[in-house]
Amino acid sequence: MGKYLVAIDAGHGINTAGKRSVKLSSDLYIDGVLIRKKGQTIKEYEWNKAVSEYLAAALKRCGINTMYTADMTGKTDIPLNSRANTANKKGADILISNHYNAIGSSQAWQSRVKGLLVLRTKNASSKSIRLGKLAVKHLEKDINYEYSYGLMRDVDMSGFTLAILRKLICLQY
């Protein structure tokens, strides 16, 4: 049994409206396997789910316990309040919510809003802030991002506090 419990959230659900890529201009192959045909879209959840599963496997190799807050089958969109409540009830030490945000109507690729962003809520604990800064530092170093927003408060980025962050006990003072 690991010392910590990390709650992993696969971001927006598979049925969340608007959270998908534009129609692909060509077939998409990954490792020689056709993933999507020209004209199809990729739902944000599909990327989030894969990253979340990879993260869980990596943490388990390090002896860290994990749990998912979303329905990993993709059949049900779990409300954000329910996801936070699940993490709180299980005693999660931290929550990582993965997103590949598909902003807007998904009619065109975004040209300006892209890059690395780590969010914290406005009442985040000092430990959460330190961890967020470390995440940015290591992600910026290990992955070549075109742009990094760094660590920001959710309210500064979106104009409001994000439910998944503000409802978590482990992130507060």
Side-chain angles (χ1 to χ4, degrees):
M1 207 52 141
K3 183 177 177 181
Y4 298 104
L5 176 61
V6 175
I8 300 173
D9 182 68
H12 299 291
I14 197 153
N15 298 312
T16 303
K19 304 302 183 193
R20 58 193 41 77
S21 71
V22 300
K23 291 181 179 178
L24 298 175
S25 59
S26 60
D27 291 347
L28 172 65
Y29 290 88
I30 297 178
D31 295 331
V33 177
L34 177 65
I35 303 299
R36 287 289 186 280
K37 292 183 179 180
K38 178 181 177 178
Q40 293 181 317
T41 62
I42 304 168
K43 293 184 177 184
E44 179 184 333
Y45 172 79
E46 294 173 283
W47 295 111
N48 298 341
K49 179 180 184 283
V51 168
S52 296
E53 289 171 339
Y54 182 84
L55 174 62
L59 290 171
K60 286 177 184 175
R61 283 193 305 272
C62 296
I64 297 172
N65 293 325
T66 62
M67 60 165 287
Y68 295 113
T69 61
D71 174 7
M72 295 302 283
T73 68
K75 294 178 182 174
T76 308
D77 282 351
I78 307 294
L80 295 176
N81 286 339
S82 297
R83 294 178 190 204
N85 288 338
T86 298
N88 288 334
K89 286 178 188 172
K90 299 271 185 169
D93 294 295
I94 191 163
L95 177 131
I96 298 171
S97 186
N98 297 304
H99 291 266
Y100 285 84
N101 283 325
I103 299 170
S105 64
S106 299
Q107 298 301 310
W109 292 106
Q110 295 293 319
S111 60
R112 185 180 58 83
V113 182
K114 55 187 169 186
L116 171 66
L117 171 63
V118 176
L119 289 175
R120 68 171 184 91
T121 196
K122 66 180 182 177
N123 294 324
S125 69
S126 60
K127 286 182 180 180
S128 292
I129 293 168
R130 281 195 311 271
L131 182 59
K133 288 178 181 177
L134 280 171
V136 168
K137 175 183 172 183
H138 289 282
L139 289 169
E140 285 177 338
K141 177 182 74 171
D142 294 338
I143 300 172
N144 184 19
Y145 288 99
E146 184 174 330
Y147 186 78
S148 175
Y149 293 90
L151 176 66
M152 293 182 69
R153 292 185 328 156
D154 52 2
V155 71
D156 294 334
M157 186 64 173
S158 63
F160 52 89
T161 60
L162 301 173
I164 194 74
L165 297 179
R166 94 172 154 263
K167 300 278 183 178
L168 286 167
I169 295 169
C170 63
L171 300 180
Q172 304 304 316
Y173 294 111

